[in-house]
Amino acid sequence: MSDNGWDDSGDGFSPPTYHRLHPGQADPDEHARPAGRFGTDRPDREPRPPSVRPEPTGDVTVTRAVVARSRYLSKLLAHKVISASQADGARESGLTAMIWNQVMSYGADAMITVALAGTVFFSAPSEAQRGNVLLYLLMTMAPFAVVAPVIGPALDRVQHGRRIVMAATALGRAVLAVVMAMNFTDLYVLFPAALGSLVLSKAYAVIRAAATPRLVPTDLTLVEANGRLSIFGLAAALVGGGLVGVAIKTTGSYPFGLWITAVAFAATAFYAFRLPRIIDTLPADVAAKQNRTIPPLPSPPQVIESRPGKHTFTTRLLGWAGRGFTPPVVLALQGESTLRWLSGFLTLFLAFHIEAISHGWHAVASLGAMGVATGAGNFIGTGIGTRLKLGRPDLIILVCNAVAAVACLAAALLFSLPVAIGATLVSAISNALAKLSLDALVQRDVPESLRSSAFGRSETFLQLSWVLGATVAILLPAKNGPLGFGVAAGLTIVVATFMALRERAVRADRRVRTSPQTSPR
């Protein structure tokens, strides 16, 4: 019998209400219950003390809850990010250390870009925009004039001191950031220092790409490893640029942002020395295995020997450009160069088109949507690359060209601003994924003794393609959207068709080379 006078059968449910006894009615089971309070033999319970509600603490409790929840979410996010960097054997192989070194380098590069945003590089009246854009394009090509012919071959000779070179590039950028912070208003100092920082940044990218194959675990492909490096680098660029932007907005001082950047570059240099030693020295068995690679493209030497007195400069240039590149690498470089041309073309053409047809908040929203599409495309393409298990990077580049061609053709036929921004998103995804595939091909097929210069030349060709695409976009009429996307679709379709035919020819030639030779009768 429970305290309230109802039968307690022990089944966990309350008794039905229709068994209530009316006053004066005898209970038929009264003899079965012992006497006592409420007819039970259990001791009387002590009365419970009156409940006292806690005094309200107001905002203190809410603040503590928010802080505790924020700490929990921060720890959870940090745990997931660290786990992602160490997954699939990356920690054991040393790839995790390279990932975090690239995170710091990319973040610091974004910091220096944001810190220079208030200089004369990015402030100009609207009537001088096209001329300033051309000047900016020429400035972006300046570092590659040093990286490709000078730094790349020099890095080929550095096979046992890559950690020192990576640290030196970071220290050099730290020193240049200090110089720019101390001479922020002097253009004659700021301009050469900015170019020097760009050169060292490209040198770091070349040496990092050349050293990555030594750290790829067995559970990852080169495309996946490059994708993981890129996705962490892009996230670090967003975070680093945002932090410096907040610091500059708070203090109102752009030089202060450069001082923070210098500290970030110094930390990058310190952790470059802590990279795995295998970057500098390969085991003997691994070095012997990597030296047995596919021979380089033989066509430029044959041309030089067949016509030694004709087109000497051209043949030397072709020989330099194709040094160490196999036919699949050459074909992949052509495909990715087309996508990089498309990236530069769409970026400038769509920006000037929006400026020509839109005004006020509509123009701002359209430009913001274009920027979001480009950034999201890079993230999505890189994210796809981190999970891609395909062993044919050249086929990925061919498919990316075909997809970008279809997107541009659809935008030309059904032109509107949303459709154009959608085509930009698809092109950005294709460009990011094709770039990862090209890096994987260079890392796989080019001998390690030529890998640094190969990356320097490939980056030079890609940047030149971007500049050419942007230049063509500036020369076209900005208001004619279908014309611009028609030009982009036509070039991309031609290159995709050429790549498909050339791919068949390369595969047929490979089958002929690998087939057993029959002796003549």
Side-chain angles (χ1 to χ4, degrees):
M1 192 75 173
S2 62
D3 293 345
N4 55 10
W6 308 121
D7 183 27
D8 190 0
S9 59
D11 59 357
F13 295 95
S14 299
T17 57
Y18 51 80
H19 284 172
R20 183 185 297 271
L21 297 178
H22 297 285
Q25 181 180 357
D27 188 354
D29 295 332
E30 186 177 1
H31 63 280
R33 292 194 297 269
R37 186 184 180 187
F38 299 117
T40 64
D41 58 349
R42 291 180 295 183
D44 295 342
R45 293 184 178 180
E46 295 293 334
R48 294 182 179 179
S51 59
V52 180
R53 298 180 62 182
E55 292 292 334
T57 55
D59 295 337
V60 177
T61 302
V62 176
T63 302
R64 288 178 179 176
V66 171
V67 170
R69 189 65 177 174
S70 301
R71 288 178 179 176
Y72 170 76
L73 293 177
S74 300
K75 291 180 180 180
L76 180 63
L77 179 61
H79 174 73
K80 288 186 176 295
V81 170
I82 294 174
S83 299
S85 68
Q86 298 175 350
D88 302 317
R91 180 180 181 181
E92 291 75 12
S93 67
L95 183 63
T96 299
M98 180 66 80
I99 287 174
W100 289 108
N101 189 264
Q102 174 154 310
V103 162
M104 290 184 288
S105 179
Y106 272 47
D109 281 336
M111 289 179 182
I112 204 169
T113 301
V114 173
L116 291 176
T119 67
V120 294
F121 294 141
F122 299 92
S123 57
S126 58
E127 61 271 9
Q129 284 182 356
R130 290 180 180 262
N132 286 343
V133 168
L134 287 174
L135 180 61
Y136 167 74
L137 295 177
L138 292 177
M139 188 182 74
T140 59
M141 281 302 303
F144 295 94
V146 181
V147 171
V150 179
I151 295 181
L155 293 177
D156 282 337
R157 299 182 178 90
V158 182
Q159 298 294 324
H160 303 287
R162 287 175 171 173
R163 292 185 300 170
I164 298 176
V165 173
M166 295 175 71
T169 60
L171 283 177
R173 285 180 284 173
V175 172
L176 291 175
V178 172
V179 171
M180 287 186 283
M182 298 176 65
N183 301 274
F184 190 74
T185 58
D186 190 351
L187 180 61
Y188 294 101
V189 176
L190 196 64
F191 187 78
L195 287 180
S197 180
L198 283 174
V199 170
L200 292 177
S201 177
K202 297 303 177 183
Y204 170 85
V206 167
I207 196 69
R208 191 274 305 163
T212 297
R214 295 187 177 185
L215 303 177
V216 176
T218 56
D219 295 337
L220 289 180
T221 64
L222 284 171
V223 176
E224 290 176 298
N226 291 329
R228 188 172 297 183
L229 285 165
S230 297
I231 198 73
F232 273 86
L234 291 174
L238 290 176
V239 174
L243 288 177
V244 168
V246 171
I248 293 174
K249 186 68 175 178
T250 303
T251 61
S253 172
Y254 283 92
F256 179 72
L258 290 171
W259 283 106
I260 297 177
T261 304
V263 174
F265 278 129
T268 305
F270 173 76
Y271 282 101
F273 287 111
R274 300 173 64 89
L275 290 171
R277 293 182 180 273
I278 194 174
I279 291 178
D280 293 333
T281 304
L282 276 179
D285 54 343
V286 178
K289 181 180 179 180
Q290 289 196 1
N291 287 332
R292 295 194 297 268
T293 55
I294 303 175
L297 188 65
S299 53
Q302 291 178 357
V303 174
I304 294 175
E305 292 177 1
S306 60
R307 291 183 293 178
K310 297 181 180 180
H311 307 292
T312 304
F313 175 77
T314 303
T315 53
R316 288 180 179 178
L317 182 62
L318 291 175
W320 170 80
R323 184 169 178 256
F325 286 165
T326 61
V329 174
V330 173
L331 188 62
L333 183 58
Q334 292 170 349
E336 170 56 15
S337 297
T338 304
L339 291 174
R340 191 61 65 89
W341 180 94
L342 184 63
S343 174
F345 178 85
L346 293 183
T347 300
L348 270 295
F349 180 81
L350 198 55
F352 282 113
H353 176 76
I354 292 173
E355 185 186 24
I357 67 171
S358 303
H359 304 282
W361 286 106
H362 183 264
V364 173
S366 300
L367 288 173
M370 186 191 73
V372 169
T374 303
N378 288 328
F379 267 103
I380 294 172
T382 305
I384 293 174
T386 59
R387 296 299 179 185
L388 208 58
K389 293 292 185 180
L390 294 179
R392 291 283 307 279
D394 48 349
L395 182 61
I396 298 175
I397 297 176
L398 176 59
V399 172
C400 289
N401 273 268
V403 171
V406 171
C408 291
L409 182 60
L413 297 177
L414 308 170
F415 184 80
S416 66
L417 202 53
V419 174
I421 293 176
T424 303
L425 172 65
V426 174
S427 301
I429 294 173
S430 302
N431 182 32
L433 186 54
K435 179 60 170 63
L436 299 178
S437 303
L438 174 64
D439 289 347
L441 272 174
V442 174
Q443 292 165 345
R444 186 192 71 183
D445 291 354
V446 176
E448 187 162 358
S449 59
L450 303 175
R451 194 173 290 157
S452 296
S453 61
F455 272 110
R457 281 176 280 135
S458 67
E459 292 294 332
T460 301
F461 297 148
L462 295 180
Q463 184 66 19
L464 179 61
S465 300
W466 195 94
V467 170
L468 289 176
T471 304
V472 174
I474 293 175
L475 298 178
L476 288 179
K479 293 185 178 181
N480 196 338
L483 174 63
F485 277 87
V487 171
L491 177 66
T492 313
I493 289 173
V494 169
V495 173
T497 304
F498 170 78
M499 286 188 63
L501 297 175
R502 182 60 180 164
E503 172 69 15
R504 292 183 59 184
V506 169
R507 293 180 63 183
D509 182 67
R510 186 179 299 173
R511 285 196 298 266
V512 171
R513 289 186 179 184
T514 56
S515 62
Q517 300 292 333
T518 58
S519 58
R521 295 181 180 179

